[in-house]
Amino acid sequence: MLIEKNDSLGKKLLITGGGRCNVTNAELDTRALLAKFKDSDKYLFSAFSQWSVQETLDFFHGRAMPTKVEALQRVFPASNTAQSVWDVLVEYLKQGNVTVLSNTPVLGFETGDGRITGVKIEGKTIRANAFVLATGGKSRPETGSTGDGFIWLKELGHTVIEPSASLVPIAVKDSSGWVKRLQGITLPEAKISLFQNGVKQNSASGRLLFTHFGLSGPTILNMSRDVSELLKYGEVTISIDTLPQYDYGQLNAKLQELLDANGKKKLKNTLDELVPAALSPIVLELCSFDPDIWCNKVSREQRLALVQILKALPAEVEGLLGVDKAIVTSGGVLLDEVDFKTMHSRRFPNLFLVGDILNIDRPSGGYSLQLCWTTGFVAGNAAASYSNSTKSGE
């Protein structure tokens, strides 16, 4: 039986990856994959030896859902829609004859003799031999992830690290409004550098998305924790290299070549050969250039200024968006209180904990869902085994 407080299943799943659902990461070397989970990797080896990335791919491919691999080894359904993933999972539930109780908020657990004896819902208690807790963290509460599971685990005596936003978009100060004007524009490959007091603190490359409030995309999400830490000590500035494939000298030569080839065209109509058209007027504005200047009238000093801004577009951080806008939250039940061979609680042998309920940090790029697939498989198998052994009196 599956108890669901929403009126339908998979609300968060359907919005992951911008509605495309980043199913997993295509890193097939389990040790290399788990290195991305940092200090949590030593806990996860046992679970991932039972269900790895390959098993995830086999599961979906074997159910007529082809996938494709994009930048940073992110795996998406070939259909480009999370609905495909949802369809596979719901059909799998039907094939397993799983009863789904929707619109049924859980109120907590009942315990006895060191075990969980039931789940309390409005008006009654549902009894079972084993229970899997998969309530998620506190990100995107409109999908039902409101941290209920953390409350219940605390009541059961578990140690819960207070959740906080982990992978979260960044708001920037935008007095001139140029960031907001770029809303919806994506740079497929940009280099993002963080500065504090004029000193570079970190940098990373990848896809960048401009939004009405600031910056998002996988690279920004993965750097948000660093930004959060830096903000404790002062202001943080982001420098965006819009063309990381060129160094300064190469870009200067490329720009000179472009200007020479388009001498009788206006500069505003030429820069879009290098960057998205919406970004061209912003670049000229930040350089204080007349957008109607002819390419053959651009001076050396102006050309070098263009190179500088294209290689270091500045944005001052205002802060991080809240937990409600986070892709995932950090925090959760202390890992030492979970047996990762079966995912059972060390306090209650018939309670199994999975996914975002665990205190595991991970980057953006398919790692969160893979954690859910892996821990869910291990917990489900172990819960079934425990339930069957209890029924047989073993």
Side-chain angles (χ1 to χ4, degrees), residues 240-258:
I240 304 169
D241 184 349
T242 64
L243 295 162
Q245 65 270 39
Y246 303 113
D247 63 24
Y248 278 81
Q250 291 170 331
L251 182 55
N252 182 35
K254 180 68 175 177
L255 189 56
Q256 179 65 68
E257 177 185 318
L258 191 64

Side-chain angles (χ1 to χ4, degrees), residues 9-22 76 81-83 85-86 139-145 324-327 369:
L9 296 170
K11 286 194 172 182
K12 182 179 285 188
L13 181 75
L14 290 170
I15 66 170
T16 61
R20 296 197 301 140
C21 192
N22 190 176
F76 293 91
T81 174
Q83 186 67 47
V85 181
W86 189 94
S139 63
R140 303 307 295 265
E142 74 276 11
T143 66
S145 294
D324 60 325
K325 298 299 182 183
I327 305 302
L369 276 181

Side-chain angles (χ1 to χ4, degrees), residues 18 76 79 178 193 218 341:
F76 293 91
S79 64
W178 70 266
S193 299
K341 293 179 181 178

Side-chain angles (χ1 to χ4, degrees), residues 1 3 101 104 106 117-121 124-128 131:
M1 177 180 291
I3 305 174
L101 294 183
T104 308
V106 169
T117 58
V119 170
K120 293 180 287 186
I121 62 173
K124 67 175 181 177
T125 298
I126 296 177
R127 306 291 177 184
F131 303 83

Side-chain angles (χ1 to χ4, degrees), residues 147-375:
D148 301 342
F150 299 133
I151 297 173
W152 306 330
L153 287 171
K154 287 179 182 178
E155 292 173 348
L156 294 173
H158 270 292
T159 305
V160 175
I161 308 302
E162 187 62 29
S164 60
S166 181
L167 301 178
V168 60
I170 295 174
V172 301
K173 298 177 181 178
D174 190 26
S175 57
S176 64
W178 70 266
V179 173
K180 189 172 183 178
R181 283 155 54 196
L182 289 175
Q183 178 180 350
I185 298 300
T186 296
L187 297 180
E189 188 67 25
K191 183 177 180 181
I192 312 298
S193 299
L194 305 180
F195 287 84
Q196 189 165 64
N197 299 322
V199 178
K200 182 188 289 188
Q201 304 293 326
N202 192 12
S203 64
S205 298
R207 188 169 66 89
L208 174 68
L209 171 66
F210 291 95
T211 71
H212 67 284
F213 54 77
L215 306 172
S216 190
T219 311
I220 288 293
L221 296 175
N222 288 335
M223 299 181 84
S224 60
R225 171 151 292 207
D226 292 333
V227 172
S228 177
E229 286 299 311
L230 289 171
L231 285 172
K232 297 175 182 177
Y233 306 100
E235 294 185 348
V236 178
T237 300
I238 292 176
S239 175
I240 304 169
D241 184 349
T242 64
L243 295 162
Q245 65 270 39
Y246 303 113
D247 63 24
Y248 278 81
Q250 291 170 331
L251 182 55
N252 182 35
K254 180 68 175 177
L255 189 56
Q256 179 65 68
E257 177 185 318
L258 191 64
L259 294 173
D260 289 343
N262 296 276
K264 295 184 178 181
K265 290 179 62 176
K266 291 183 178 180
L267 184 56
K268 67 180 182 182
N269 298 324
T270 303
L271 278 182
D272 57 9
E273 293 188 32
L274 285 176
V275 294
L279 185 55
S280 296
I282 303 297
V283 169
L284 296 176
E285 181 180 309
L286 293 174
C287 289
S288 300
F289 285 1
D290 177 0
D292 290 322
I293 188 174
W294 300 99
C295 287
N296 60 11
K297 297 297 183 181
V298 175
S299 67
R300 176 179 182 276
E301 290 73 20
Q302 289 174 318
R303 187 181 72 247
L304 293 177
L306 279 172
V307 170
Q308 178 61 38
I309 205 70
L310 288 168
K311 295 291 290 180
L313 198 64
E316 189 175 350
V317 174
E318 182 173 50
L320 302 182
L321 270 65
V323 169
D324 60 325
K325 298 299 182 183
I327 305 302
V328 298
T329 52
S330 62
V333 67
L334 199 66
L335 301 188
D336 287 331
E337 298 179 5
V338 180
D339 183 339
F340 278 79
K341 293 179 181 178
T342 61
M343 301 310 303
H344 81 260
S345 158
R346 294 189 185 276
R347 293 185 176 276
F348 298 90
N350 66 333
L351 176 63
F352 301 83
L353 309 175
V354 305
D356 287 354
I357 206 75
L358 304 164
N359 181 31
I360 296 177
D361 286 334
R362 63 276 187 191
S364 172
Y367 300 94
S368 291
L369 276 181
Q370 183 58 52
L371 177 67
C372 293
W373 309 138
T374 293
T375 56

Side-chain angles (χ1 to χ4, degrees), residues 48-102:
F48 272 77
S49 68
Q50 299 175 62
W51 186 275
S52 66
V53 170
Q54 188 61 62
E55 278 76 27
T56 295
L57 294 173
D58 290 346
F59 176 87
F60 286 105
H61 294 168
R63 288 164 175 79
M65 195 199 86
T67 60
K68 60 179 180 176
V69 180
E70 297 188 3
L72 304 177
Q73 300 192 99
R74 295 173 300 146
V75 179
F76 293 91
S79 64
N80 260 338
T81 174
Q83 186 67 47
S84 296
V85 181
W86 189 94
D87 290 342
V88 169
L89 296 177
V90 170
E91 180 59 29
Y92 187 64
L93 288 175
K94 291 178 180 177
Q95 291 174 359
N97 295 316
V98 176
T99 299
V100 178
L101 294 183
S102 57

